[in-house]
Every structure is written in C-alpha cells, then in structure tokens.
C-alpha cells in the first residue's frame, strides 16, 4: 500500500525510525481502514498518503462513495479524536518562532520523550507516538492531533501530557506557547513559512480566491474534535447538527479579538477570517440540509472543489484550480492520461475546509484555540450533543426549522458579536444555554462521568462573557491597551 514516497518507515536516525511523510499526519483514522489501536508504537496515521503506483484505468465514482461509507461503524467502536493548535513564540520579544527554533522543540520531543520524527526531505516537520502526532501549520502553529480514544478523560489526559512536555522544553529554550484563535500582534510578512511544499502552493493560490486566505494559513489556531457515525442517516443527522450549531460553538469559544495589536471589532477574528478564504471549499454547505443528502451527494460536492496538487514521486505536482472531474476522465492538465487513486482522493478531501468536514468521520471545525480547560471542553460539547441518542434528537429538534438564510446569518455575524448576536427575537446567548443543557444531558446519560468538562462553558453562558470579552477587558484596563502582556499572562 505504501511506497518509497509515502509515510513509511525508512532509514534510521539514531535508534529510532524516521517517518517520511508526504503531506501530513492525522492520527484519528487510517486512510484505508478502521481506527487503529493507540498502543501500536511506530505507526503513522496519515490522511494524505502517497500513491504507490500510477493508475491507468478510470476510478469509479462508486469507489469514492464507498471510501466515505466505509467510515460507518457500530457505536461500540466510536472514538473521540481531539486536535488543537497554538502559537509558538520567543519569550524575549514575543516574535513567532522560526522553523529552526521549532525544529529544536521537535528534536527534543524525539530525544527526551521518545517521539519519532516525521520528515519531508531534509526537514523534520513533526513527530509521532502511539497514535498521536505533533505537526506544523503554515506559520509554525504547533498542532497536537490526538489518538482516537474512548472517553473525554483520555483525550484530555493526552492534552495534559503534551502541554507538560512542550512547556518543559520551551522554558529551557526561552520559548512559549499561546492558546488563542488568532495571532494578536504579528502581520503575515512577520511570520516565517514552514518548509512544507504544500504550503508554498497554497500561499501562492490563496490571494487569488479570497481576501483572507493568508490570514487563515499563518495567523489562526483552532481546536477541533473528530467523531464517528453509525450509518448514512446518522452521518446526515450529525452533519446537520454540526453545521447549524457551529456558530454557537464559535460564540462560546471566541478567543481572538485582536489583530496587529488592536481590537478588530470581532470576538472571533479567526471565525471572521473563514468567511472569505475560498468560497469554493468553505462555508456552511446548505446542500447537507436538502432531502437528497447522502455520501454520494458529498462526493459530488467534493469533485467540484478545485484541486491544489497531486503528490507524485516525493513531490507536489501543481494542479492549482484544476478539476477533479477532469482527473477522473484522465484529462488533468497536470497529469494527462493518468487517473486518480483512492490515495489521491484522500489527499483531495484534506483540501476542503467547510465548517464541518466529512472524511471517514466528521470534523467539527468552528472553535477558536484557547486555554487548557477550553481544549477539553470542546470535545465534551460535541460528544454530549451527538454521541447520545436523546441529546442528538433534541439537538435536531432545536435546529429543525432554521432556514438556510438564518444559518448563514449566524455563520457571518457570530464571529463579530458572539453571544450577543440577535437571533429570532432573542440572542445566541439564549440558544447557547439550550445547547449546553442538551450537551450536559447527553454526557450524563453516556455514563462516563464527563459532564464536569462543560463547567467552563457553563460559566460562560451564566455570565454571558466569553474568553474574548475577558481579553478585551484586560486590554482596556490592566494591559493599558497593549497586547504584549497577553503573551506572558495567557501562555500555557
């Protein structure tokens, strides 16, 4: 299945295998099968594998549909995979870290804690261990992708262990990590790009399709959770709940009110950025709420999303703006006469960025990065809503009559006004109270003693004040209208 160009173990660095990765790793699900046990060291979980051989016959559309459909699994096999990103900075001047500085952190994770390096050419671009990975976003945002685990207790323990490790290393090196949704100080030109060829392609393309693509690449951080579904109908229900309530999550987790040292007028600048990145591959996907929604319908949508690249022979073939449907017909200008493989399909799915993304699982993508308790609250929020049948029914009932216009209104306005966004004669704050109550009930009925992970969100709905509101208050008072104190006071 893997070739010399893929994420296979080849070569040695000291006593540890070196993992050569093409695009990146995401440990929640193996591309070609079910979730793998987190106790198998040395395993790479890649959602963008290399292509083992050229395909000279057409790939049936049915195979693309079945690829997604193979994600269906019984409730007993459902897992929780949490990912979070954070800004890495230099303590002496708060500047974002260069690649060489970040590589030092990765190498120390390898030497001190036994992680295995992930390489792209001569560059270490991440590390992996027991189903988890640490990887780099375009501007060096440091991302932990957790292993698929059974409970929120376990996913939160992963976060705790990771933050302990990187904090211990960073303190020795004069570095820090900030949990926030958007870089509060530095402009895009101030931020080094990481040495991943995929990012060079995206950097050139983004300004041609939207006004804030480079902001997304270099200045945003998120926390997201990846969750399973049992059947096509279950996928549809969870997908609809996720899309409709993503703005509620954005309001509760809003934590990015600053840009280049000043308030932006948005509580979630990260959320606002996503309203104009690339409309062909982002947004609230209104077709998911239509009667004909299915795995095949999502495939039709994904095939119409313009391509970024094809990975061949250890490198990226530039296919920016080209058509997947042409690729299916063997007429891709970048690779004439060649047909895609399922590995190419897996790669293509990673270049689609809606508020909820379907692969062999669902990714809930609407929350700002934040402090430790919020990193554990995000999986609790969504698990409570869609991993327990009565809660899922209640959530569906809540959103049943929301119109496409209302859902889009919330997606655009909530990043600006947060919980205070007017909605149906009340506010999003009122909706958030209902949603948190549903989530708590779901967690309590799940029976894993997980409801306490919602405590920080319950404080937010009780007070009506998000993390962004608290940051703005500090900015206007104690910090004397400067964001510099934020780096010291809010770092992990």
């Amino acid at each position: 299945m893997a070739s010399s160009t893929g994420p296979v173990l080849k070569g040695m660095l000291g006593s540890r295998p070196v993992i050569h990765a093409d695009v990146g790793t995401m440990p929640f699900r193996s591309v070609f099968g079910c979730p793998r046990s987190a106790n198998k060291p040395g395993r790479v979980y890649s959602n963008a594998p290399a292509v083992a051989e050229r395909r000279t016959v057409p790939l049936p559309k049915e195979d693309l549909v079945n690829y997604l459909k193979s994600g269906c699994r019984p409730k007993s096999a459902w897992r929780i995979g949490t990912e979070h990103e954070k800004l890495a900075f230099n303590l002496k001047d708060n500047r974002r870290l260069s690649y060489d500085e970040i590589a030092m952190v990765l190498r120390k994770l390898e030497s001190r804690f036994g992680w295995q390096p992930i390489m792209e050419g001569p560059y270490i671009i991440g590390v992996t261990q027991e189903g988890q990975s640490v990887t780099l976003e375009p501007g060096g945002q440091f991302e932990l992708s957790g292993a698929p685990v059974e409970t929120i207790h376990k996913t939160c323990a992963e976060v705790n262990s990771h933050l302990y490790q990187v904090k211990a290393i960073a303190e020795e090196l004069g570095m820090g990590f900030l949990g926030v949704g958007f870089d509060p100080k530095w402009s895009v030109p101030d931020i080094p790009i990481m040495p991943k060829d995929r990012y060079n392609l995206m950097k050139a393309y983004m300004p041609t399709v939207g006004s804030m693509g480079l902001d997304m690449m270099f200045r945003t951080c998120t926390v997201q959770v990846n969750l399973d579904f049992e059947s096509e109908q279950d996928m549809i229900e969870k997908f609809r709940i996720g899309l409709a309530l993503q703005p509620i999550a954005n309001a509760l987790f809003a934590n990015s009110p600053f840009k280049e040292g000043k308030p932006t007028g948005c509580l979630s600048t990260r959320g606002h950025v996503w309203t104009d990145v690339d409309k062909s591959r982002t947004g609230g996907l209104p077709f998911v709420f239509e009667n004909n929604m299915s795995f095949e319908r999502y495939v039709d949508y994904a095939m119409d999303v313009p391509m970024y690249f094809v990975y061949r022979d250890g490198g990226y073939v530039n296919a920016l703006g080209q058509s997947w449907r042409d690729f299916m017909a063997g007429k891709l200008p970048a690779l004439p006469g060649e047909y895609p493989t399922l590995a190419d399909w897996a790669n293509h799915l990673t270049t689609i960025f809606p508020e909820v993304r379907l692969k062999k699982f669902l990714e809930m993508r609407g929350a700002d990065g934040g402090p430790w308790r919020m990193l554990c609250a995000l999986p609790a929020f969504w698990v409570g809503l869609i991993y327990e049948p009565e809660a899922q029914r209640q959530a569906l009932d809540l959103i049943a009559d929301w119109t496409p216009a209302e859902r889009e209104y919330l997606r655009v306005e909530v990043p600006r006004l947060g919980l205070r966004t007017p909605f149906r004669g009340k506010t999003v704050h009122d909706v958030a109270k209902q949603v948190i109550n549903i989530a708590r009930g779901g967690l309590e009925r799940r029976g894993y003693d997980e409801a306490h992970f919602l405590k920080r969100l319950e404080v937010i709905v009780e007070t009506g004040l998000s993390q962004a509101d608290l940051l703005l208050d500090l900015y206007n008072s104690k910090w004397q209208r400067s964001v510099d104190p934020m780096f010291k006071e809010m770092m992990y």
Side-chain angles (χ1 to χ4, degrees):
M1 179 172 68
S3 75
S4 63
T5 60
V8 295
L9 304 181
K10 61 179 186 181
M12 298 292 289
L13 183 66
S15 61
R16 295 191 181 88
V18 178
I19 298 165
H20 288 253
D22 37 276
V23 175
T25 57
M26 208 290 270
F28 186 61
R29 183 82 72 246
S30 161
V31 172
F32 294 104
C34 298
R36 298 180 181 169
S37 169
N39 61 4
K40 296 180 180 178
R43 199 70 70 93
V44 174
Y45 296 76
S46 175
N47 67 351
V51 175
E53 59 186 30
R54 303 294 190 270
R55 187 181 181 97
T56 57
V57 296
L59 177 67
K61 177 184 174 183
E62 182 182 5
D63 288 4
L64 309 184
V65 176
N66 288 336
Y67 174 87
L68 297 178
K69 192 178 295 185
S70 69
C72 296
R73 60 199 67 251
K75 292 181 182 178
S76 60
W78 287 1
R79 296 294 181 264
I80 304 163
T82 306
E83 305 179 31
H84 81 270
E85 301 159 355
K86 49 200 168 291
L87 299 181
F89 67 96
N90 195 312
L91 291 177
K92 67 184 179 190
D93 56 12
N94 297 335
R95 285 191 172 275
R96 297 276 290 276
L97 298 186
S98 67
Y99 167 73
D100 288 341
E101 291 170 318
I102 291 175
M104 292 171 62
V105 179
L106 294 173
R107 287 299 186 191
K108 285 187 176 291
L109 285 172
E110 174 195 0
S111 63
R112 185 174 304 179
F113 297 105
W115 293 71
Q116 295 175 354
I118 303 169
M119 307 297 295
E120 182 168 311
Y123 300 105
I124 183 170
I125 58 169
V127 290
T128 184
Q129 182 184 77
E130 296 181 346
Q132 305 172 69
S133 68
V134 176
T135 53
L136 305 179
E137 292 299 300
Q141 301 97 312
F142 214 73
E143 177 177 7
L144 172 69
S145 297
V149 296
E150 295 87 350
T151 69
I152 301 165
H153 300 285
K154 291 182 179 181
T155 199
C156 196
E158 278 185 333
V159 172
N160 289 343
S161 175
H162 169 74
L163 291 179
Y164 162 74
Q165 292 179 13
V166 297
K167 182 176 173 63
I169 292 169
E171 286 178 348
E172 296 175 9
L173 298 176
M175 304 170 185
F177 290 96
L178 184 65
V180 67
F182 192 89
D183 189 309
K185 182 166 183 174
W186 303 107
S187 66
V188 170
D190 293 324
I191 301 169
I193 187 171
M194 297 299 104
K196 297 175 72 171
D197 287 343
R198 173 180 180 170
Y199 296 156
N200 289 321
L201 289 175
M202 292 175 66
K203 184 178 181 181
Y205 183 68
M206 282 294 183
T208 71
V209 292
S211 65
M212 293 185 279
L214 296 183
D215 289 321
M216 178 276 290
M217 289 181 63
F218 292 95
R219 300 205 274 188
T220 62
C221 291
T222 189
V223 53
Q224 72 176 54
V225 66
N226 307 320
L227 299 173
D228 285 311
F229 42 80
E230 186 173 33
S231 64
E232 184 169 69
Q233 183 58 37
D234 188 46
M235 176 275 293
I236 293 169
E237 292 181 2
K238 287 176 164 60
F239 210 155
R240 289 172 177 171
I241 291 167
L243 287 170
L245 296 184
Q246 216 61 227
I248 310 306
N250 182 264
L252 289 166
F253 287 83
N255 188 37
S256 52
F258 307 117
K259 175 181 177 179
E260 297 175 19
K262 304 292 182 183
T264 62
C266 293
L267 295 176
S268 174
T269 303
R270 184 205 61 83
H272 173 66
V273 160
W274 276 107
T275 64
D276 192 17
V277 169
D278 179 350
K279 288 179 170 52
S280 68
R281 69 186 75 240
T282 63
L285 305 188
F287 70 85
V288 172
F289 296 84
E290 296 173 359
N291 292 334
N292 67 345
M293 175 57 187
S294 62
F295 286 119
E296 183 174 5
R297 180 68 184 85
Y298 191 85
V299 168
D300 288 335
Y301 157 74
M303 288 197 299
D304 287 332
V305 174
M307 295 177 65
Y308 278 167
F309 61 83
V310 183
Y311 190 80
R312 291 291 185 274
D313 299 324
Y316 295 86
V317 177
N318 185 339
L320 290 169
Q322 295 180 26
S323 166
W324 177 269
R325 293 184 186 272
D326 285 347
F327 200 7
M328 294 282 284
K331 298 178 180 178
L332 189 72
L335 290 173
E338 191 170 328
Y339 296 94
T341 68
L342 277 179
D344 292 320
W345 179 238
N347 284 347
H348 183 59
L349 291 176
T350 70
T351 68
I352 303 171
F353 311 122
E355 296 296 295
V356 178
R357 180 162 61 184
L358 175 63
K359 297 178 183 172
K360 292 186 179 182
F361 48 91
L362 288 167
E363 300 179 353
M364 304 296 175
R365 298 166 44 83
D368 284 4
W372 169 73
R373 292 189 184 279
M374 298 298 278
L375 301 181
C376 300
L378 191 277
F381 178 82
W382 289 112
V383 166
L385 290 174
I386 65 173
Y387 261 24
E388 193 280 324
E390 175 59 20
Q392 184 165 316
R393 184 194 64 78
Q394 292 175 12
L396 275 174
D397 288 346
L398 176 64
I399 67 168
D401 64 344
W402 291 10
T403 68
E406 286 176 324
R407 292 193 301 269
E408 181 64 10
Y409 160 80
L410 290 174
R411 189 178 77 89
V412 173
E413 286 300 311
V414 164
R416 187 168 63 90
L417 299 174
L419 295 170
R420 292 182 284 278
T421 305
F423 186 64
R424 292 191 164 190
K426 297 183 179 179
T427 65
V428 165
H429 188 187
D430 297 297
V431 180
K433 291 177 182 178
Q434 294 177 269
V435 173
I436 291 297
N437 285 337
I438 293 172
R440 170 169 277 278
L443 291 176
E444 289 174 346
R445 288 187 294 273
R446 252 172 66 84
Y448 291 102
D449 191 25
E450 298 166 318
H452 66 279
F453 287 108
L454 292 174
K455 182 60 180 176
R456 178 62 193 144
L457 297 182
E458 290 172 334
V459 171
I460 288 171
V461 296
E462 180 181 338
T463 63
L465 298 174
S466 67
Q467 184 75 10
D469 291 308
L470 301 179
L471 291 175
L472 285 167
D473 182 65
L474 287 167
Y475 173 84
N476 287 309
S477 56
K478 180 182 177 182
W479 296 349
Q480 299 181 34
R481 302 186 68 79
S482 169
V483 298
D484 286 322
M486 183 177 177
F487 288 87
K488 180 177 181 180
E489 295 188 25
M490 297 297 167
M491 72 176 181
Y492 292 112

